Amino acid sequence: GRAAPRDSRRGPGKPAREAGAQQIVPQSQEKFYCLAAQIQLLLQIPEKIWTAMESSQYLQATQLYLLCCHLQGILQLDSSGTRYSPILACFPILARQVAASGHFRSTILQESKSLLKSQTVLDQAVAEALCSIMLLEDSSPRQALADFLLARKSAIQQLLNQPHHDAGIKAQVCSLVELLATTLYQAHALFYTLPEGTPADPALPSGLLFSALETITSQHPAGKGVSVLKEETKLSTWFRYLPPSVTEFQLTLRTLAHPISQDYLRDTLQKWIDMCKEDISIGITSLLVYVKSLKGLAGIRDAVWELLTSESMSQNWETVCCRLLDKPISFWEDLLQQLFLDRLQTLTKEGFEDIAASSRELLMQAVQELEAKFGSPTHNKHLLFEQNMASFLWSESPNDLPPDAAWITVANRSQFAKSGLSMKAQAHSPCVQSFCSALDSKLKAKLDDLLSYLPSDASLSKETLKRQSRNSAFDRYADTGTVEELLRTHCISCVDDMLGSIREELRHAEGVLQGCRDALHSPTLNTVLFMARLCRSLGELCPHLKQCILGKPGSPESVTMELWPLKKVGKGKTPEVNPRKAKWQELNERLLQDSLSAYRIWSHIVAKVLVQNFTQSLLKDEAGSILATATSWEEIEIEEETETGNSIKSKIRLPVQPSWSVQALLFSLCQEVGRVGGHTLPKVTLQELLKTCLTEILAGYEKLSEGKPEKKEGMLPITQNRALQLLYDLRYLNIVLTTKREDIKSSRNKQDSRTEKLIDFLESYIDPFDLDVFTPHLNSNLNRLVQRTSVLFGFLIGEENQYTSRSSGPTSQDSHNTLPLASSQIRFGLLPLSMSSSRKTKSVLRNSEHKTQVGVCVLTHDFFPVFLPSGARGLRNPKCLFQFVNAPLFSPMGT
């Protein structure tokens, strides 16, 4: 009974206590769960940060890091604080967590700034990286712009300092250009804000940085909180225990993110471009050092052109440049073009310097071979041809005719194809051909390399190239004129350098020959002739030399093959001279002058040696010496009328041939001219040779006139007959050796005055009455002699002087030819009759056989075709040849 009341008393009190406990425990649990949730979140954040950084989501990592710092502040885990944190005492692991989270800030900053250097990331990723930096460093948009540009400048330096190879330089330069272009595009996408009222272009984004900042720092209630936590809330139940200070945590900037003004953006970008120019100039210059050919240089230029002309690069380029810089910008023209031109100039200069050096070596080698002793094992047939050009002209070789000569005409043959016969016809010796071929092959290689930098289609005009360049990023052929001018300049310098070596060798050779006793047979004279032929042949045998200066054939600016315009220029008008043609003409003039200088040395030596021998023979006074040089005279019957009117017939004897010494002199001159290829000898050189010879001959006659008044024992005085022979010789030499150029009239006048004095001197030894009788016949003999020897001494007389006195000299009854002449031919009076002539002609030939041997044409190696009797074949010695001068070849034919 006692128990029941006790139970009744406890019964109603127990539920009351349990209800109070149910009210107290949930509140403490909620606090506990809230603390546990924060600790759980704090422990999970590092893993989430690393995951975000591995996926390059640096803005998400930054948000998590700042949330982590916020949680540490809520939980009072900051070890630098003065207050004691009881949570650290209960959970010691949090101390390590706090220490580990301290490295996230520097890591995120480092990775974010490293991402700014990349040119392949998207604009949005760059904007998020800049937002991370701004949030972690509490910086402004202007500072973000500076960080962005500094990162790109560092990327440029890193790109230029990479280990490079020849094959990878193109990729490096293209990467550099792409980085520069991408930087401007991203600067527009990130920092440029459109003016109010301007519609946005989806293809050209702008203001991404400010959009991203507004998104993560938005104060709108719907946008509060870290987006990562919102996603996690849907997955984990314990997230609902987090306090609002965590779930509604909002990122803030200490400084307001004001948009950057266009003026500041323009000035900053321009300063950045100016700063990068120096680095780019140094870096690209060091890269291009490894480009050893102009073809490689052109390949890099074309790759840059293709990159900037691509649609992805050029679509909105002008708009971006005008918005950011208020002007168009071309990376090629502003940064790269001059660097490429500098490298091109260096390569061109080095290339032609190598050509000049190798040409000097070839020249020295040729000189050494030519000046070596003949007959040594080192000499070959080609070197002997240099000594005697006639032996080369009359030799046969397999390449005399090109293999396609039978079916390809000369007009359709390439200008670079030269047959052996054409080389011989122009007296281009084998050594000259070899030198010019080596030089031309090097010029061709250099020219082909440089042409790869120029337009491939040379026929396009400037207007066509300009129209094509409008649709491209830049005109890659805009510097064509500069490149061609560099080519011409260095090519001419190369030739001038070679000519300098030739002049030096000529000065040395001239000094050697002046002191040489047997100068005509000196090997040094062969060197002089080689250089004379070389200078004369360079312009023709090196077609690529002409192409280097005149330009590629077919281009609108290239000149024709003619050096002077064919159109007549009106009075008072100055003809327009193409600069290229003028430079080519100047170079040809220098080559010609050096060739003439070398030939002048040769002509001086020839005239000096040969005339010296003639003068020695002329000044001999012994009777034997005078008789040794005498030739046959002609006996002429004349009829004179006496005072009474009766006619008296008498006979006179007059010279019809020059002295042996005169004939030997002229024949030796022709031999020397023929030996050097007289048919190609410059007319000026031949005229200088004749002028020098005549001057020296007159000097010898003057010595004769000055020395005769002195009578010495054993000296034969000048008789009338000897005076007639000397007079005949002097007048004949004066006719043969006198040139007819108008520009040397003054020198001719001086020689004529000297000649007249000498003629007067010799005529003083002849009876005046006899002189009047002799003069007409003497003149007739001179005319016939000149006609007879006009072919024999054709090199000296020249084409314009041959047969000039035929109309007044010989008649049909006084012919001086071994072959019958065509009487019906007016224009070609000396044309012999062919084998199909009339019977009368054949009978004339048969009737004349008993009087003279029919002349045959003999081709000698040391001379030219001369008509000799059949018994004189193979003669080489002039003295032997002169034994036949009295043969019927030189006397009238029988009537």
Side-chain angles (χ1 to χ4, degrees):
R2 295 171 62 181
R6 193 166 50 245
D7 292 338
S8 62
R9 290 194 298 270
R10 293 177 181 177
K14 183 176 180 180
R17 288 194 297 270
E18 289 178 358
Q22 288 177 357
Q23 294 176 359
I24 295 174
V25 171
Q27 294 178 359
S28 61
Q29 284 182 348
E30 186 175 356
K31 292 182 179 180
F32 177 77
Y33 289 158
C34 178
L35 178 62
Q38 294 180 55
I39 294 175
Q40 178 68 15
L41 179 60
L42 186 63
L43 293 176
Q44 290 184 358
I45 281 179
E47 183 179 356
K48 295 180 182 296
I49 291 176
W50 286 119
T51 302
M53 292 184 64
E54 288 178 357
S55 59
S56 300
Q57 297 177 359
Y58 301 117
L59 181 57
Q60 182 179 348
T62 300
Q63 291 175 325
L64 291 173
Y65 169 73
L66 294 177
L67 177 60
C68 178
C69 294
H70 179 66
L71 286 173
Q72 292 177 8
I74 293 176
L75 298 177
Q76 299 179 359
L77 300 181
D78 189 2
S79 60
S80 62
T82 56
R83 294 180 299 173
Y84 173 74
S85 175
I87 298 177
L88 288 177
C90 297
F91 302 98
I93 193 174
L94 295 179
R96 295 183 180 181
Q97 196 71 15
V98 172
S101 63
H103 301 289
F104 283 127
R105 181 179 184 276
S106 60
T107 303
I108 295 173
L109 282 175
Q110 182 179 355
E111 295 297 328
S112 298
K113 292 182 178 180
S114 177
L115 183 139
L116 296 181
K117 299 179 181 180
S118 177
Q119 60 184 3
T120 59
V121 296
L122 300 177
D123 299 342
Q124 187 62 37
V126 178
E128 292 180 357
L130 287 174
C131 288
S132 299
I133 296 173
M134 293 178 66
L135 291 171
L136 293 176
E137 294 184 346
D138 293 324
S139 57
S140 63
R142 292 190 175 186
Q143 183 61 39
L145 174 62
D147 293 339
F148 172 73
L149 295 179
L150 286 176
R152 290 303 169 92
K153 186 175 184 296
S154 177
I156 291 173
Q157 294 175 343
Q158 183 178 356
L159 182 63
L160 294 174
N161 294 328
Q162 285 180 356
H164 39 260
H165 306 283
D166 191 9
I169 293 176
K170 181 192 297 185
Q172 285 182 266
V173 175
C174 290
S175 298
L176 172 66
V177 174
E178 185 179 5
L179 178 60
L180 292 171
T182 304
T183 300
L184 290 184
Y185 272 117
Q186 291 184 345
H188 179 276
L190 297 172
F191 302 100
Y192 182 80
T193 55
L194 292 173
E196 295 182 4
T198 304
D201 185 3
L204 192 60
S206 61
L208 294 181
L209 176 64
F210 303 102
S211 301
L213 287 175
E214 184 178 0
T215 300
I216 61 177
T217 60
S218 176
Q219 299 299 324
H220 194 272
K224 288 186 177 182
V226 181
S227 59
V228 178
L229 296 183
K230 294 180 180 179
E231 298 294 332
E232 294 291 342
T233 303
K234 301 176 183 179
L235 301 176
S236 302
T237 57
W238 55 270
F239 268 77
R240 67 176 181 269
Y241 295 103
L242 292 174
S245 61
V246 176
T247 57
E248 298 179 1
F249 172 71
Q250 188 67 33
L251 301 177
T252 58
L253 288 173
R254 293 183 182 180
T255 58
L256 296 178
H258 293 293
I260 300 176
S261 65
Q262 294 186 5
D263 294 339
Y264 182 83
L265 183 61
R266 180 188 65 246
D267 296 340
T268 304
L269 288 175
Q270 189 61 51
K271 290 179 181 178
W272 177 79
I273 292 175
D274 295 338
M275 284 192 302
C276 292
K277 276 186 178 180
E278 184 176 357
D279 294 338
I280 292 173
S281 177
I282 297 174
I284 294 295
T285 301
S286 62
L287 283 177
L288 295 182
V289 169
Y290 296 92
V291 181
K292 301 298 183 181
S293 67
L294 299 180
K295 184 177 181 180
L297 205 62
I300 299 175
R301 179 204 59 187
D302 294 342
V304 172
W305 179 81
E306 292 175 359
L307 173 65
L308 294 178
T309 309
S310 62
E311 185 177 0
S312 59
M313 282 289 181
S314 61
Q315 185 175 6
N316 298 304
W317 180 250
E318 293 184 1
T319 304
V320 170
C321 291
C322 292
R323 287 180 178 180
L324 295 179
L325 301 171
D326 291 340
K327 63 179 181 180
I329 184 173
S330 173
F331 293 129
W332 171 255
E333 296 174 356
D334 298 340
L335 300 177
L336 301 178
Q337 184 179 19
Q338 189 58 45
L339 302 179
F340 274 64
L341 282 178
D342 293 341
R343 182 56 183 165
L344 184 144
Q345 181 176 7
T346 301
L347 288 175
T348 306
K349 181 180 179 182
E350 292 176 351
F352 280 103
E353 286 178 350
D354 293 341
I355 294 175
S358 62
S359 300
R360 286 195 300 269
E361 293 178 1
L362 285 175
L363 186 65
M364 296 301 105
Q365 182 180 357
V367 170
Q368 292 175 1
E369 292 178 353
L370 289 172
E371 293 185 356
K373 292 183 178 180
F374 284 93
S376 61
T378 59
H379 270 82
N380 53 29
K381 183 171 61 175
H382 291 170
L383 296 179
L384 297 177
F385 288 161
E386 292 294 329
Q387 183 190 21
N388 190 355
M389 181 60 64
S391 60
F392 167 65
L393 299 180
W394 295 108
S395 64
E396 293 185 1
S397 60
N399 63 342
D400 281 345
L401 289 177
D404 56 356
W407 55 85
I408 296 182
T409 61
V410 177
N412 297 327
R413 193 168 291 126
S414 171
Q415 62 171 335
F416 303 109
K418 300 289 186 180
S419 65
L421 284 180
S422 65
M423 296 291 102
K424 292 176 181 179
Q426 300 173 74
H428 298 313
S429 63
C431 289
V432 171
Q433 293 181 45
S434 176
F435 185 96
C436 292
S437 176
L439 176 61
D440 191 60
S441 63
K442 294 173 184 176
L443 290 175
K444 181 181 182 300
K446 191 63 186 175
L447 184 62
D448 292 343
D449 188 26
L450 189 135
L451 288 179
S452 62
Y453 201 85
L454 302 178
S456 57
D457 191 355
S459 61
L460 296 179
S461 60
K462 289 184 176 180
E463 291 73 13
T464 305
L465 294 175
K466 287 182 179 179
R467 286 196 301 269
Q468 293 179 356
S469 64
R470 293 173 186 171
N471 301 324
S472 59
F474 60 90
D475 185 6
R476 49 180 168 172
Y477 301 123
D479 48 9
T480 298
T482 304
V483 174
E484 291 179 346
E485 185 61 29
L486 285 175
L487 173 64
R488 282 191 292 273
T489 302
H490 291 295
C491 182
I492 292 174
S493 299
C494 173
V495 178
D496 288 339
D497 182 87
M498 186 172 57
L499 290 180
S501 301
I502 290 176
R503 295 188 190 106
E504 185 178 352
E505 288 296 324
L506 287 178
R507 286 193 293 268
H508 173 72
E510 187 175 11
V512 172
L513 291 173
Q514 285 179 354
C516 183
R517 294 183 178 179
D518 191 11
L520 276 181
H521 301 89
S522 173
T524 307
L525 192 60
N526 300 328
T527 302
V528 173
L529 292 172
F530 165 74
M531 293 182 182
R533 299 186 190 110
L534 178 62
C535 294
R536 177 176 59 87
S537 307
L538 276 176
E540 182 177 356
L541 297 186
C542 297
H544 291 93
L545 172 63
K546 185 175 184 178
Q547 191 173 339
C548 286
I549 298 175
L550 295 184
K552 190 176 181 181
S555 61
E557 295 183 359
S558 64
V559 297
T560 59
M561 297 295 290
E562 296 172 339
L563 293 178
W564 299 106
L566 295 178
K567 296 182 179 180
K568 294 182 179 180
V569 182
K571 294 182 178 180
K573 296 182 179 180
T574 304
E576 296 182 1
V577 180
N578 191 301
R580 300 182 180 188
K581 184 167 64 173
K583 290 188 177 182
W584 174 245
Q585 182 67 20
E586 291 174 2
L587 182 59
N588 276 332
E589 290 294 336
R590 290 198 292 273
L591 290 171
L592 178 60
Q593 292 303 321
D594 287 339
S595 177
L596 293 178
S597 299
Y599 275 124
R600 192 174 295 113
I601 297 174
W602 165 82
S603 64
H604 177 74
I605 294 298
V606 170
K608 179 181 177 181
V609 174
L610 296 183
V611 178
Q612 184 178 7
N613 296 335
F614 168 77
T615 305
Q616 292 176 356
S617 175
L618 178 66
L619 297 179
K620 289 181 179 180
D621 300 327
E622 296 80 7
S625 301
I626 295 175
L627 290 176
T629 62
T631 57
S632 63
W633 284 35
E634 182 183 20
E635 187 176 287
I636 303 175
E637 184 177 348
I638 62 174
E639 187 176 350
E640 298 175 325
E641 186 177 354
T642 62
E643 296 178 357
T644 61
N646 298 327
S647 60
I648 301 176
K649 293 183 179 181
S650 61
K651 293 183 180 181
I652 60 174
R653 296 180 61 82
L654 292 176
V656 292
Q657 293 181 359
S659 302
W660 293 121
S661 58
V662 173
Q663 297 185 44
L665 169 65
L666 296 179
F667 190 83
S668 298
L669 278 175
C670 288
Q671 271 190 315
E672 294 301 324
V673 173
R675 189 175 65 86
V676 299
H679 63 288
T680 59
L681 198 66
K683 196 172 184 179
V684 177
T685 300
L686 184 58
Q687 290 170 345
E688 289 180 356
L689 174 62
L690 300 183
K691 177 184 174 182
T692 305
C693 288
L694 185 57
T695 303
E696 295 294 331
I697 289 171
L698 294 179
Y701 272 91
E702 289 173 349
K703 289 182 180 179
L704 178 66
S705 64
E706 294 172 358
K708 284 308 172 185
E710 301 178 4
K711 293 185 179 180
K712 298 180 180 179
E713 185 178 356
M715 182 180 67
L716 186 67
I718 298 179
T719 61
Q720 178 169 314
N721 288 342
R722 188 183 177 197
L724 280 172
Q725 184 67 56
L726 291 174
L727 178 62
Y728 190 80
D729 294 344
L730 178 60
R731 292 184 60 186
Y732 176 65
L733 288 172
N734 188 54
I735 294 174
V736 173
L737 300 180
T738 298
T739 58
K740 293 188 176 182
R741 284 181 56 191
E742 295 182 357
D743 55 346
I744 56 174
K745 285 184 178 180
S746 59
S747 60
R748 283 185 57 191
N749 293 334
K750 294 179 181 179
Q751 290 181 359
D752 290 343
S753 61
R754 295 176 63 187
T755 305
E756 290 176 0
K757 291 181 181 179
L758 292 172
I759 290 176
D760 293 341
F761 165 74
L762 294 175
E763 288 180 348
S764 64
Y765 290 91
I766 305 173
D767 183 81
F769 176 77
D770 292 343
L771 183 62
D772 292 338
V773 177
F774 295 161
T775 299
H777 301 283
L778 204 62
N779 292 337
S780 177
N781 290 347
L782 276 174
N783 289 334
R784 287 197 301 268
L785 178 64
V786 171
Q787 291 177 23
R788 292 173 185 172
T789 59
S790 59
V791 174
L792 183 66
F793 302 138
F795 277 146
L796 306 182
I797 296 177
E799 297 177 359
E800 69 280 359
N801 294 343
Q802 291 183 9
Y803 318 121
T804 54
S805 60
R806 171 168 170 75
S807 58
S808 60
T811 63
S812 59
Q813 298 172 348
D814 190 14
S815 179
H816 303 279
N817 295 275
T818 58
L819 295 178
L821 302 181
S823 59
S824 60
Q825 296 290 340
I826 300 175
R827 185 174 180 182
F828 304 103
L830 295 178
L831 184 65
L833 292 177
S834 63
M835 296 299 294
S836 61
S837 301
S838 63
R839 295 181 179 179
K840 179 180 178 181
T841 305
K842 295 181 180 179
S843 63
V844 170
L845 288 174
R846 285 194 295 269
N847 293 333
S848 61
E849 285 179 355
H850 69 282
K851 297 181 180 180
T852 178
Q853 295 175 338
V854 179
V856 295
C857 184
V858 179
L859 302 180
T860 65
H861 286 276
D862 300 330
F863 202 51
F864 48 89
V866 294
F867 286 103
L868 297 178
S870 58
R873 296 183 183 181
L875 291 178
R876 294 295 182 269
N877 191 341
K879 295 183 179 179
C880 298
L881 173 64
F882 294 144
Q883 296 173 4
F884 295 91
V885 293
N886 287 325
L889 171 66
F890 296 94
S891 61
M893 292 180 58
T895 57

